[in-house]
Structures are given as C-alpha cells and as structure tokens.
Amino acid sequence: MGDANDADELLDSVILKVITKSSDNFGSLLLKALREAQLDYFKTEQRRRKRFELSIDNESPNSEVMERDGDERPVETAVELRQRKKRTDQLKLIDSLTRSAKTDTATTTIVEAYLFAPLDAKPTEIARSLGIHHETVKRKLRRLARRYDANRFGDVREYLAV
C-alpha cells in the first residue's frame, strides 16, 4: 500500500514513541509497537482509498504503455493470465473426467449445466433447470468426484474457484 518513505516514517515515529517510554525491555516493546503501528497504517490507508478517489488510483498501470505503442487492446495483467490459465486447467480436468467410458449422458448433462451456470449455483438449482431430482445431481457429482486422481492431476485445491 505504501512505499519505502512511508515505511521509514512509520519506523521513525514508532522509535520516537518507544524511546519516550522508559522500559527495561526495549526490543519487545519496539516490536509490539511497530506491529500495532503497521496494522493501524493499513487500516487508515484502506479507509482513505475507499473515501478519496485519486486520479492516480484510477489510471490503469498500462496506460503509458498503450499510449507509446498506439495499440488499443489492453495488456493482460498477471492476475488475468493466471485466472485464464486456471480456468483452462479446470476445463481440461472436467473434460478428462467426463470422457471416460463410465460416464453416462446424465452426468455429462449435469456437468455442462454447471459450466454454464453462475458460480454460486447449487445442486438444487441445477436439478431444477434440468428437470431432475436434486439427489440425482448430487449422486452423479459424487461419483464423478471419486474418479479424481490426485497423483495424475495434482492437488484438488488448485482447481477450485478462480
């Protein structure tokens, strides 16, 4: 949130406050005061950013690059690239799980409905949209989840919500 100057100012002010207090354990008092000052700084900076919208905060970080290049398409940030890669990995996983011979048409229909449903969709909503019982949806998804191989695909937490 801040830069090196803000950190130096914070450290200097905390040291001055701790020096004024006479204590036997200067080190622990300094660490505690520094931790509290840091948390206080983050809280006030977050509040300031919510209340006051600055023009420098509104500018996109790539605006200078776009002006120099004359290119109208925005440059993707690292977060957007990571989210896109994660989504592709999720789709590959779903495809490999549903491609096997053990998957019936109902399971593939349920998975496709989940792919096009909102992120917070529940099994009952998916079942209602497909016109089948919600327990059937839950059973089919559990059966599909049993085919997940952690040795082959890696940790399941890597595929969860983007």
Side-chain angles (χ1 to χ4, degrees):
M1 288 190 160
D3 58 1
N5 295 328
D6 292 331
D8 288 339
E9 179 187 357
L10 186 71
L11 180 64
D12 293 340
S13 64
V14 168
I15 288 175
L16 287 174
K17 286 179 187 176
V18 172
I19 288 174
T20 59
K21 298 177 182 177
S22 60
S23 175
D24 295 333
N25 199 353
F26 177 79
S28 65
L29 187 62
L30 177 67
L31 287 175
K32 183 178 177 186
L34 193 57
R35 223 181 346 249
E36 291 173 359
Q38 184 182 17
L39 290 174
D40 187 46
Y41 173 77
F42 285 135
K43 286 179 187 176
T44 55
E45 188 65 19
Q46 282 178 342
R47 269 189 252 124
R48 184 196 65 81
R49 286 186 180 198
K50 283 181 184 176
R51 288 182 185 155
F52 304 107
E53 202 171 292
L54 301 175
S55 61
I56 197 165
D57 293 338
N58 290 335
E59 287 183 11
S60 67
N62 300 322
S63 62
E64 295 175 7
V65 175
M66 287 174 52
E67 289 173 5
R68 281 185 270 142
D69 294 341
D71 192 8
E72 293 182 12
R73 64 185 172 102
V75 180
E76 283 186 313
T77 64
V79 174
E80 291 169 344
L81 285 172
R82 185 170 167 244
Q83 286 176 343
R84 191 162 37 106
K85 183 183 180 318
K86 197 173 213 179
R87 181 67 178 165
T88 334
D89 290 345
Q90 287 172 347
L91 293 175
K92 284 180 186 176
L93 172 67
I94 290 170
D95 184 50
S96 67
L97 289 175
T98 56
R99 249 187 304 137
S100 73
K102 297 177 184 177
T103 307
D104 58 348
T105 56
T107 305
T108 55
T109 307
I110 291 168
V111 169
E112 288 174 0
Y114 257 109
L115 289 175
F116 297 111
L119 292 176
D120 58 345
K122 294 183 176 25
T124 53
E125 296 168 357
I126 298 297
R128 192 176 303 127
S129 69
L130 295 175
I132 56 179
H133 197 269
H134 67 278
E135 285 299 323
T136 306
V137 171
K138 289 179 183 178
R139 267 195 316 273
K140 299 284 184 181
L141 290 175
R142 271 183 285 191
R143 185 177 303 141
L144 186 66
R146 274 187 248 133
R147 277 192 248 143
Y148 179 79
D149 182 17
N151 294 329
R152 183 174 163 204
F153 299 113
D155 190 15
V156 73
R157 286 174 274 180
E158 294 176 8
Y159 292 99
L160 297 177
V162 175

